[in-house]
Amino acid sequence: MVADPVLLQAVADLFPNGISRYAVGGLLVGLGTVLIYIGTGIPAGASTFLESTLSYVSDQSRFQQYVGSRDWRLVFTVGVILGGLAFAATFQSGLVTSSLYEPGTTGQLYEVAGVTLWQTDVQPWRLFIGGILVGIGTRIGKGCTSGHGVCGVGSASKTSLAGVLTFLTVAVGTAQVVAALGVSP
């Protein structure tokens, strides 16, 4: 089999640090999605998990629709948080090393109880505003990027395909505008 050198160079330009870390991450996300779907029959989307968790503290009907299935969704939500903390405490702190992980170039390292953690340089108000905008977007888009991008595209949903195309177009456009304006964290 002869590979097109132009295509190989294009892939190398898109993934200057190699493609293996993205492939491993994608396989793990896909495996998790399949396991949740096989176990529950429900597509795994992060906004649904958050809403079901809010059903514990809110009587609003939009949250109460998840009461019957919220326990396993709560476990998923806690798992996402604990997974992030485990990553920070192992790979990000340098306790465990792998060729699949390279530390970021922005942010600060600091010590907590003998564990080295990382904190972003992004200003808190920007994180807050970004979170609000993402929340609004998930309501308007009837789901989050993980639900539409992983589960919806995987099941060839036209709505999800349109949503993912919109997400990506807006994300690339926003990144270009922000870079052109010289905005930094």
Side-chain angles (χ1 to χ4, degrees), residues 86-152:
F87 175 79
T90 55
F91 288 96
Q92 211 168 40
S93 70
L95 185 64
V96 176
T97 59
S98 169
S99 62
L100 296 175
Y101 172 72
E102 264 183 46
T105 56
T106 63
Q108 316 292 319
L109 293 175
Y110 64 98
E111 295 268 336
V112 173
V115 177
T116 304
L117 300 175
W118 174 84
Q119 181 177 352
T120 182
D121 280 340
V122 178
Q123 298 165 343
W125 71 268
R126 289 184 179 182
L127 294 172
F128 180 76
I129 297 294
I132 296 294
L133 292 173
V134 167
I136 291 168
T138 59
R139 294 303 316 155
I140 293 170
K142 306 256 189 265
C144 60
T145 54
S146 62
H148 284 299
V150 177
C151 300

Side-chain angles (χ1 to χ4, degrees), residues 29-42:
V29 168
L31 177 63
T33 300
V34 167
L35 290 174
I36 288 173
Y37 190 75
I38 289 171
T40 66
I42 299 172

Side-chain angles (χ1 to χ4, degrees), residues 6-175:
V6 174
L7 179 61
L8 289 175
Q9 185 58 47
V11 169
D13 290 343
L14 284 173
F15 302 100
N17 296 320
I19 198 167
S20 59
R21 68 187 69 193
Y22 308 108
V24 169
L27 288 171
L28 291 173
V29 168
L31 177 63
T33 300
V34 167
L35 290 174
I36 288 173
Y37 190 75
I38 289 171
T40 66
I42 299 172
S47 60
T48 308
F49 292 104
L50 176 61
E51 285 189 18
S52 66
T53 303
L54 290 174
S55 72
Y56 285 103
V57 295
S58 174
D59 290 333
Q60 289 187 11
S61 62
R62 90 169 194 226
F63 300 131
Q64 292 305 306
Q65 66 182 327
Y66 301 108
V67 169
S69 63
R70 69 183 178 185
D71 292 340
W72 73 266
R73 293 173 193 256
L74 179 63
V75 171
F76 177 89
T77 303
V78 169
V80 168
I81 294 167
L82 291 178
L85 290 173
F87 175 79
T90 55
F91 288 96
Q92 211 168 40
S93 70
L95 185 64
V96 176
T97 59
S98 169
S99 62
L100 296 175
Y101 172 72
E102 264 183 46
T105 56
T106 63
Q108 316 292 319
L109 293 175
Y110 64 98
E111 295 268 336
V112 173
V115 177
T116 304
L117 300 175
W118 174 84
Q119 181 177 352
T120 182
D121 280 340
V122 178
Q123 298 165 343
W125 71 268
R126 289 184 179 182
L127 294 172
F128 180 76
I129 297 294
I132 296 294
L133 292 173
V134 167
I136 291 168
T138 59
R139 294 303 316 155
I140 293 170
K142 306 256 189 265
C144 60
T145 54
S146 62
H148 284 299
V150 177
C151 300
V153 169
S155 63
S157 162
K158 290 179 184 174
T159 303
S160 292
L161 290 167
V164 169
L165 182 61
T166 302
F167 301 152
L168 290 176
T169 301
V170 171
V172 169
T174 301

